[in-house]
Amino acid sequence: MALQQRAKKFRIVLIKPSKYDDDGYVIRFWKGVLPSNTLNVLHGLTDDIIQRKVFGDLSIEIATFDETAERVPQKKIIRWSREPATKLLVCLVGVQTNQFPRALDMAKVFRAEGISVIMGGFHTSGTINMLSEQEPDIQELVHESICVVSGEVEGKWEMILADFLSGQLKPIYSFAQDLQNLVDIGEAPLPKTSPKTMKHFAHPAFGTADTSRGCPFACSFCTIINVQGRKMRERSPQSMAAMMRQNYLQHGISFYFFTDDNFARKKLWRETFEELIKLRDEGIKVSFMMQVDLARKPKDFVRLAARAGCTQVFIGMESVNPENLKAEGKSQNNVDEYRQIIKEWHDAGVVVHAGYIIGLPWDSKDQVSSDIRFLMDEVGPDQASFFMLTPLPGSHDHREMKKRGDWMDPDFNKRDSFHATIQHPRMSADEWTEAYEDAWKTFYSKEYMTRVLARWSNHPKSYWNLMSVFFWYKNAALIEKQHPMVAGFFRLKDRKCRRPG
């Protein structure tokens, strides 16, 4: 390639953008908590290209930035683009709908300097898959000459980079039209953690990985199934163990968040647990948290998960109201079984974290208050994360609302599951917001946190882990007014980095 031959250095800048708060400031913290797996996946794919010398002797450098925890040095990146014999590509990765406005504004800054920009993630993928490439936000990217990627790029990433180096980057790359035949990730390059980026997180020994993708269920509010499909695809258990061993020995990474949407539906769940048990037998005491459903599981699942190092499980409970579950296609959830399911995890020494949606069709302000009390007194999870029902591009709910012409807040920045963005049939926006905020206050009350800690008084590690989580969650939800899963410690505001207008 002529352009490739003239360039001596190729810089690939991978940026996971943050979002704006309600005052227009970029949300950034002194220390982050949950790192981005998409950033790690793209880092791993790019490093694999370097190791295989796909582009010959061309020097390739990777720079990663997670904006929730570190300032993106836009002026420095622009200076990099002006270095002689250097090609530079900025990639805005893992962009969710609420991050789209921030990502677009950042992309425009780089495009104004003549820098090539690629944007991908659940927003572009879900929009194109469930609607079309003609949606206004996708067309705005095309108009700004920002390359759009829809779908997963395993097996395609080197092609996209080759197109860039030869000056033939396409306006749109769409890889997910056929959800039954998505990329096989079995032997795909594994996610790679950047120690430089992890220095900005409260727990630098924290890693992320997806051992599988997809989910067989059909929840109407979910975007996963319309981007990653309902057919489960898995990484090799042996390759996952090898990655974790290497990360432990080289970087001291001792805890993972497995980002699989539903670990319990993996065909190779047993083999994966067995490989992790072998690691622990070697003295590599890596632990993890994972996401599972509430449907019935094989009898060995919980026991082996605990032996493999599972210390916390995130369960998509969504509601304790059977009518709500029915309305959202969550037929696999049976409220009568909740307590026994949680008890099984507790008996194995695993902390239970419930995901709970507020604003489902049968909710009202009084009903939500009653249901949260039922959740605490009768179900008894150790943690809970609350979300406001939000129609996200890529979900069945969003597509149907759009077809009907239902009102949805046009500001994508508010599509974060912490704002009222639709008209609820039983609550005003203020009542809905108050019900959501009260849920956090009630669940993370001194009374309930004390009750949960007492439950784990004979498990010192779980006790103190929960204590630190309670500090984090209460600070985020009640003081910072941000969802804990996107918040960190000690909010930072840059007065020069504010949303236009």
Side-chain angles (χ1 to χ4, degrees), residues 69-122:
E70 57 184 322
R71 187 179 64 84
V72 176
Q74 295 183 29
K75 291 182 179 178
K76 179 188 285 189
I77 293 169
I78 292 168
R79 287 198 299 272
W80 287 346
S81 72
R82 295 170 180 164
E83 293 175 354
T86 295
K87 297 280 287 180
L88 185 137
L89 177 65
V90 169
C91 307
L92 296 163
V93 307
V95 178
Q96 298 175 12
T97 298
N98 66 89
Q99 297 162 340
F100 182 79
R102 171 59 183 160
L104 178 59
D105 290 341
M106 204 185 317
K108 287 179 178 179
V109 171
F110 292 126
R111 288 299 301 132
E113 299 294 334
I115 296 172
S116 295
V117 180
I118 292 176
M119 186 187 298
F122 264 84

Side-chain angles (χ1 to χ4, degrees), residues 44-45 48 52 154-155 182-191 210-213 233-242 268:
L45 292 176
D48 174 69
R52 291 189 291 114
E154 281 85 356
L182 295 173
V183 62
D184 178 10
I185 62 170
E187 298 301 329
L190 293 160
D210 51 344
T211 76
S212 65
R213 295 180 190 168
R233 295 162 293 133
E234 304 186 44
R235 297 187 189 274
S236 150
Q238 294 76 20
S239 66
M240 292 302 306
L268 302 177

Side-chain angles (χ1 to χ4, degrees), residues 210-425:
D210 51 344
T211 76
S212 65
R213 295 180 190 168
C215 179
F217 296 117
C219 306
S220 64
F221 55 81
C222 181
T223 61
I224 297 281
I225 56 177
N226 299 311
V227 175
Q228 295 184 347
R230 294 177 63 188
K231 181 180 177 181
M232 298 292 290
R233 295 162 293 133
E234 304 186 44
R235 297 187 189 274
S236 150
Q238 294 76 20
S239 66
M240 292 302 306
M243 178 200 73
M244 294 168 73
R245 180 186 294 106
Q246 182 178 356
N247 284 345
Y248 182 87
L249 296 175
Q250 292 185 356
H251 306 299
I253 296 176
S254 58
F255 184 84
Y256 282 84
F257 173 35
F258 290 144
T259 62
D260 311 41
D261 188 61
N262 198 336
F263 199 102
R265 298 304 131 193
K266 283 166 51 74
K267 289 183 180 177
L268 302 177
W269 63 265
R270 184 185 299 275
E271 291 84 350
T272 302
F273 287 155
E274 287 172 349
E275 289 295 324
L276 300 184
I277 291 169
K278 290 178 187 176
L279 274 186
R280 296 179 71 80
D281 290 343
E282 291 176 25
I284 298 176
K285 304 294 185 182
V286 175
S287 55
F288 62 92
M289 69 173 290
M290 62 180 177
Q291 303 179 84
V292 299
D293 59 57
L294 277 158
R296 197 174 299 278
K297 297 172 184 60
K299 63 179 182 180
D300 289 342
F301 186 88
V302 172
R303 179 182 63 83
L304 287 177
R307 279 194 62 200
C310 181
T311 59
Q312 183 178 143
V313 62
F314 182 94
I315 297 177
M317 192 170 291
E318 321 309 3
S319 179
V320 295
N321 185 330
E323 292 298 326
N324 279 332
L325 297 172
K326 183 179 178 181
E328 294 302 312
K330 201 82 176 175
S331 58
Q332 69 271 20
N333 284 20
N334 185 336
V335 175
D336 294 335
E337 297 177 352
Y338 282 2
R339 177 185 282 188
Q340 184 56 39
I341 290 170
I342 288 181
K343 182 180 184 301
E344 184 180 10
W345 285 106
H346 282 168
D347 289 346
V350 178
V351 169
V352 176
H353 187 157
Y356 197 98
I357 296 176
I358 293 173
L360 291 170
W362 294 89
D363 282 345
S364 66
K365 190 171 182 299
D366 290 341
Q367 185 64 48
V368 169
S369 177
S370 174
D371 287 347
I372 298 304
R373 275 291 163 192
F374 181 90
L375 176 71
M376 295 159 59
D377 296 339
E378 301 298 326
V379 181
D382 306 293
Q383 291 175 245
S385 285
F386 301 101
F387 305 89
M388 298 175 78
L389 182 66
T390 303
L392 294 173
S395 69
H396 174 82
D397 285 350
H398 177 269
R399 184 177 65 182
E400 294 307 304
M401 289 186 70
K402 197 171 176 67
K403 281 182 182 177
R404 293 194 301 266
D406 295 351
W407 181 84
M408 291 180 276
D409 195 310
D411 185 1
F412 282 149
N413 193 70
K414 293 181 180 177
R415 304 278 185 93
D416 52 11
S417 301
F418 340 133
H419 288 84
T421 57
I422 60 175
Q423 293 173 333
H424 194 275

